[in-house]
Amino acid sequence: MKTTSPTVLVTGAAKRIGKQTATLLHQNGYNIVVHCNHSTDEADAFVSELNAMRSNSAKRVKADITKLDELQSLADNATAAFGRIDMLVNNASSFYPTPVNDVNEDVWDDLMGTNLKAPFFLIKNLLPELTKNKGNVVNMVDIHADRPLKDYPVYCMAKAGLVMLTKSLSRELAPNIRVNGIAPGAILWHENDLSEQDKKQVLSEIGLARLGSPEDIAEAILYMSKATYVTGQILAVDGGRSINGGSKA
């Protein structure tokens, strides 16, 4: 199916920030390729919602982004969905604590795979489309790429690598493709439970004294989609927390 409307692939788009990002880009005229791995029911329901708003404007693709062959299939299937790809949002990510003594090769491969390897190879596999369409990439980084989060060393290393990937590829792929990153702060309390005391500590470190929302991240990504003179930049969306420091979430 060939379309003249711009098309975006959002990885991990069935839930949370990925879903909100896809929703906002859809509202701004994009066709959406919704990627998922395990969350197929949620992804299918979301695609139905988007298609109810605008007919034939969303499709679902499934892939394990830690596997190189599935990354190639993901790129191929995403491109085939609407006949073009104009934007890639590398949102999918594994996130869980890994104290040093608990790290093994499976943990390393998962965290490095989802947070660093997958973004690189997806960009590589989509180069023909992104180049042809003067496209752009937005990588979901993290404020903890600069200020490590205790007990999350492998995750923080992977996100630090993603920062360098963003900056390096912005040079390698210019002038045809823009590559930028969004570094969220405390947006939603993550699934790895924090104590009430820890939550209070996090809020005390945020200049705006509140959590952000998925909408805040989606708005930043929408901005990057339109910012045709911005590349190689990491935009912190954290309520000022990276200025004040912080270590819990």
Side-chain angles (χ1 to χ4, degrees), residues 9 11 65 67-68 70-76 78-79 85-91 113-132 135-141 161-174 176-181 231-232 234:
L9 167 60
T11 66
I65 62 172
K67 298 179 179 178
L68 283 181
E70 295 199 33
L71 286 170
Q72 183 63 64
S73 296
L74 173 56
D76 293 342
T79 301
I85 291 290
D86 300 80
M87 182 176 180
L88 168 63
V89 179
N90 281 310
N91 167 72
T114 59
N115 289 293
L116 184 56
K117 181 173 79 173
F120 178 86
F121 282 98
L122 263 183
I123 294 168
K124 176 179 180 287
N125 294 341
L126 288 169
L127 274 181
E129 280 298 305
L130 292 171
T131 301
K132 178 174 66 178
N136 79 99
V137 176
V138 180
N139 296 319
M140 195 70 71
V141 191
L162 188 57
V163 169
M164 184 51 67
L165 180 156
T166 301
K167 295 178 179 180
S168 294
L169 292 191
S170 73
R171 295 196 69 183
E172 297 289 331
L173 305 182
N176 294 313
I177 301 170
R178 295 184 297 109
V179 185
N180 291 292
T231 193
I234 308 295

Side-chain angles (χ1 to χ4, degrees), residues 143 182-187 212-213 216-218 220-221 235-242:
I143 61 170
I182 302 296
I187 302 301
S213 70
D216 293 321
I217 304 303
I221 292 172
L235 175 61
V237 184
D238 65 356
R241 190 176 181 214
S242 55

Side-chain angles (χ1 to χ4, degrees), residues 2-9 22 25-33 54 56-58 78 82-88 129 133-136 222 225-226:
K2 186 73 172 177
T3 181
T4 57
S5 300
T7 298
V8 58
L9 167 60
L25 291 171
H26 184 264
Q27 291 169 358
N28 281 268
Y30 278 84
N31 290 326
I32 309 296
V33 180
R54 193 169 78 243
N56 297 318
S57 61
F82 295 101
R84 63 186 295 159
I85 291 290
D86 300 80
M87 182 176 180
L88 168 63
E129 280 298 305
N133 297 318
K134 300 286 186 181
N136 79 99
L222 178 63
S225 76
K226 299 176 178 179

